[in-house]
Amino acid sequence: MEQSRLDLPTLTDSAERLLADLDIVMKQEMWSKFVATKTRRTLTVLVSWLGADAPLLESDIRELVDNRPLQFSGRRVTQFLEKRELLIPDPEFRRDSQQKRLEAELAALPATIAQELSCWIRAVRGEGKWEHSGRTYRSIARYWHVLNPILKGWLADGIESLREITQDDIKRAIATRKGTPARSIHIVLRNVFRALRREGVIFRDPTRGLVFAGINKPPPSVPSDRLASVLSHARNDFQRFVMVLVCVHALSGTDMRHLLLSDLDLSRERLVVRRPGKRHIIYLDELTYRCASAWLRERHRRWPVTTNPHLLINRWTAVDTTHSPIGTTHQHLPAHRPHHADAATRQNPR
């Protein structure tokens, strides 16, 4: 049974003020009743027992939520307290989940190769000699998904260090796949060995001078009659706008997740898509302009005070103080670019 308000210690003045501050934030950001109730209940229990005069331990919040996950919610309480410098973060809990998985994968490899790949990860993260904007662990994990089966094959052949890899080994690895998967292998291996060469771990890059022809055929747009059918299934302005970006402009899930509000310029009728090393400009046709305008109105109506800079947001990211983009699973947001018309209404993983 849920602990009643009368069972809790009397709130201090500072605790009352903190809860009143939370009430103001929830009203301004238009939190749903369900989320607001769980969040306020969580903070009430915490400050009743621990007070609000000193920062709270994130580990205490996690323990409370883990014991009764249906009654308490810690994420928004944590963000609310952190913004007011009333939180002591838990470093272990905040370690990236993808980082933990990569560390576990490295631990299972022979020591020499594990050290070499650890150096690659540090370099890609922007923590080595290679000066560039660092990638996230999520991005590195996608590279690892391609790299891992290649590594297993090399280990089975008795390879003990990446210094032993030759260009013939690279060619054979690429030849195990065709089309886009083969291109992905080429890109990932080139990234690994270029980084190791820059870091001085290897003396020669076996991918140097190796050119992959690539796949230049662009994905076709959805025919107008099919597009009308697809749009008829949209339940809201968000879905309709996403469908147009996919079906008409062939944007990938990654493209859409990272669009910023400032990238859309209705006065100039254009949308800027930022990709690594380049920008792609979409000049808005009448349909895209209409759907974009409708989404902006809906976005402002639902979350008028959100500070999230992304163009596409949802009820979670709108109030997330870390300003994270939406996930690829939200409202069936496609993770990859469709290759034909039928892909407009389903996810097409590479």
Side-chain angles (χ1 to χ4, degrees):
M1 179 181 295
E2 178 184 341
Q3 188 175 19
S4 69
R5 179 69 187 85
L6 296 177
D7 294 331
L8 297 174
T10 303
L11 291 171
T12 63
D13 291 341
S14 57
E16 292 278 13
R17 288 193 297 271
L18 188 63
L19 285 169
D21 190 10
L22 176 64
D23 290 337
I24 294 173
V25 170
M26 292 190 297
K27 183 177 180 180
Q28 288 179 338
E29 297 183 353
M30 303 174 68
W31 292 16
S32 69
K33 183 178 180 180
F34 176 75
V35 172
T37 300
K38 288 185 69 173
T39 303
R40 197 181 199 284
R41 180 190 301 139
T42 304
L43 186 59
T44 300
V45 171
L46 287 168
V47 297
S48 294
W49 289 105
L50 303 176
D53 297 313
L56 304 181
L57 292 171
E58 185 174 13
S59 56
D60 288 339
I61 300 175
R62 296 303 314 169
E63 184 176 358
L64 174 66
V65 174
D66 290 344
N67 285 336
R68 295 186 178 181
L70 298 180
Q71 295 184 23
F72 300 113
S73 176
R75 181 180 180 185
R76 298 197 185 189
V77 169
T78 299
Q79 294 178 348
F80 173 78
L81 293 173
E82 187 170 29
K83 192 173 183 180
R84 286 152 184 78
E85 299 183 350
L86 288 173
L87 183 76
I88 300 176
D90 182 351
E92 179 59 27
F93 176 75
R94 295 198 172 202
R95 287 176 64 223
D96 192 287
S97 61
Q98 298 291 355
Q99 178 186 3
K100 295 177 184 178
R101 189 173 72 84
L102 286 169
E103 289 174 353
E105 297 273 8
L106 290 173
L109 295 174
T112 300
I113 293 182
Q115 291 174 0
E116 292 166 345
L117 290 175
S118 294
C119 184
W120 164 64
I121 291 174
R122 288 195 300 271
V124 176
R125 286 281 298 162
E127 300 168 0
K129 300 175 185 177
W130 183 13
E131 296 182 0
H132 67 108
S133 56
R135 290 182 175 271
T136 65
Y137 282 108
R138 183 184 182 89
S139 177
I140 297 172
R142 289 198 293 268
Y143 274 38
W144 186 271
H145 178 73
V146 175
L147 177 63
N148 196 33
I150 306 299
L151 281 176
K152 290 179 178 178
W154 287 344
L155 292 174
D157 292 337
I159 297 295
E160 297 180 353
S161 169
L162 295 180
R163 296 185 182 93
E164 302 174 33
I165 300 302
T166 66
Q167 191 168 93
D168 286 339
D169 293 321
I170 301 295
K171 290 179 179 179
R172 282 192 291 270
I174 295 174
T176 61
R177 297 289 186 271
K178 294 181 179 180
T180 299
R183 183 182 184 183
S184 297
I185 292 174
H186 178 245
I187 291 172
V188 170
L189 293 180
R190 183 179 60 188
N191 181 276
V192 170
F193 287 101
R194 279 186 178 180
L196 294 181
R197 176 69 178 85
R198 289 174 182 268
E199 297 299 310
V201 175
I202 61 175
F203 300 105
R204 56 179 179 79
D205 176 2
T207 67
R208 184 176 182 181
L210 189 61
V211 178
F212 185 80
I215 303 170
N216 297 319
K217 184 179 179 181
S221 298
V222 177
S224 57
D225 57 334
R226 295 283 304 280
L227 178 59
S229 176
V230 170
L231 292 179
S232 68
H233 290 85
R235 292 175 294 179
N236 50 49
D237 292 321
F238 175 94
Q239 289 188 356
R240 192 171 294 105
F241 184 38
V242 167
M243 287 177 179
V244 168
L245 292 178
V246 174
C247 299
V248 177
H249 304 288
L251 294 193
S252 69
T254 299
D255 289 335
M256 290 185 289
R257 291 177 65 241
H258 294 94
L259 288 173
L260 301 179
L261 189 60
S262 58
D263 292 332
L264 179 61
D265 188 343
L266 291 180
S267 63
R268 300 173 68 180
E269 299 185 357
R270 73 177 197 172
L271 174 66
V272 178
V273 182
R274 302 175 190 276
R275 293 167 178 160
K278 61 181 179 179
R279 296 194 315 165
H280 171 63
I281 298 179
I282 292 175
Y283 293 96
L284 307 183
D285 55 273
E286 182 180 353
L287 175 62
T288 307
Y289 184 94
R290 190 166 64 248
C291 291
S293 299
W295 164 242
L296 285 184
R297 289 193 297 270
E298 176 67 10
R299 184 185 189 277
H300 180 71
R301 183 188 69 78
R302 296 187 63 183
W303 305 289
V305 296
T306 181
T307 58
N308 192 313
H310 292 93
L311 176 60
L312 300 177
I313 59 176
N314 57 33
R315 58 178 177 169
W316 295 285
T317 62
V319 297
D320 187 347
T321 58
T322 63
H323 294 163
S324 60
I326 60 175
T328 55
T329 57
H330 178 68
Q331 301 279 13
H332 307 293
L333 182 63
H336 304 276
R337 187 174 302 170
H339 289 275
H340 50 72
D342 291 338
T345 55
R346 60 180 174 82
Q347 183 171 320
N348 178 29
R350 287 182 180 178

